[in-house]
Amino acid sequence: MTATEQEHTTAMTTPAAEPGESAEPIVRPAPHRWLWYALGGRLPRRHRTWVLFDTTTDTWWMRHVARSMVQLAVPIALIMIFVPGSFGLRVGMCLLGIFLALIYSTAYIAETTENRVKKAGYPVGTALAHRDQAGLVRQRRETERKHAAAAKRAARYQKRTDR
């Protein structure tokens, strides 16, 4: 087994770091590489942590929709240019196509994001695990905030009743 194959195998089997504790720096791809990534291509290894960030951040679903819209740009342009008919008909066809494509895109959003993470070299399920972990952290912070607010209200109430 060559060194690169061994490195790739190790990357596939080692568990990912906890959210926010990445050992590798997050390197955002250049615009042309992001376009390739949005169209379904694989990014170089140095962008591996960015792919995980892209699929697990709070706005991961909006990013997915944006990538879907980029994928739809070419067919929409072709329809608008080459399909004969009135402008209104072509716009209507495009809007219906976008609507249908977004339905399918959101129906398979989890599978698509896991596939992107898998292409980056992470085990399947990594994105879901990171999003779940981040959700638990957010939930714990919200609970602590609510407990602190309740304690503050109780202290204020106690202060008013002691007068």
Side-chain angles (χ1 to χ4, degrees), residues 99-162:
F99 177 70
L100 185 61
L102 287 177
I103 288 174
Y104 276 102
S105 177
T106 54
Y108 293 102
I109 192 169
E111 292 85 357
T112 305
T113 54
E114 286 299 334
N115 189 39
R116 286 185 184 280
V117 171
K118 181 181 162 201
K119 282 182 183 179
Y122 291 99
V124 174
T126 303
L128 179 63
H130 274 254
R131 285 192 302 269
D132 287 347
Q133 182 65 30
L136 290 173
V137 169
R138 276 192 310 274
Q139 188 177 19
R140 185 174 52 238
R141 286 183 188 150
E142 183 67 14
T143 301
E144 290 169 0
R145 184 190 67 78
K146 287 181 179 180
H147 284 300
K152 189 176 176 181
R153 280 192 308 274
R156 231 180 11 241
Y157 178 75
Q158 184 67 33
K159 195 175 181 182
R160 271 191 275 158
T161 57
D162 286 345

Side-chain angles (χ1 to χ4, degrees), residues 12 22 25-26 47 63 70 81 87 101 115 122-123 127 141 163:
M12 292 292 285
S22 177
I26 296 176
H47 301 296
R63 291 167 178 252
V70 168
I81 294 170
F87 181 74
N115 189 39
Y122 291 99
R141 286 183 188 150
R163 288 187 205 175

Side-chain angles (χ1 to χ4, degrees), residues 11-26:
M12 292 292 285
T13 57
T14 54
E18 292 298 316
E21 299 177 8
S22 177
E24 302 173 39
I26 296 176

Side-chain angles (χ1 to χ4, degrees), residues 25-148:
I26 296 176
V27 180
R28 181 169 171 70
H32 69 284
R33 290 202 190 269
W34 181 87
L35 186 61
W36 174 248
Y37 168 74
L39 293 172
R42 183 183 305 224
L43 290 175
R45 183 160 175 77
R46 69 179 175 271
H47 301 296
R48 178 177 190 253
T49 53
W50 180 83
V51 172
L52 185 62
F53 169 78
D54 185 53
T55 57
T56 59
T57 189
D58 291 342
T59 58
W60 72 277
W61 62 272
M62 289 188 286
R63 291 167 178 252
H64 174 80
V65 170
R67 288 190 300 267
S68 298
M69 295 305 291
V70 168
Q71 292 173 356
L72 290 172
V74 173
I76 287 172
L78 292 175
I79 288 171
M80 292 301 290
I81 294 170
F82 294 115
V83 171
S86 69
F87 181 74
L89 176 66
R90 289 180 286 170
V91 168
M93 289 170 53
C94 289
L95 290 176
L96 287 173
I98 289 170
F99 177 70
L100 185 61
L102 287 177
I103 288 174
Y104 276 102
S105 177
T106 54
Y108 293 102
I109 192 169
E111 292 85 357
T112 305
T113 54
E114 286 299 334
N115 189 39
R116 286 185 184 280
V117 171
K118 181 181 162 201
K119 282 182 183 179
Y122 291 99
V124 174
T126 303
L128 179 63
H130 274 254
R131 285 192 302 269
D132 287 347
Q133 182 65 30
L136 290 173
V137 169
R138 276 192 310 274
Q139 188 177 19
R140 185 174 52 238
R141 286 183 188 150
E142 183 67 14
T143 301
E144 290 169 0
R145 184 190 67 78
K146 287 181 179 180
H147 284 300

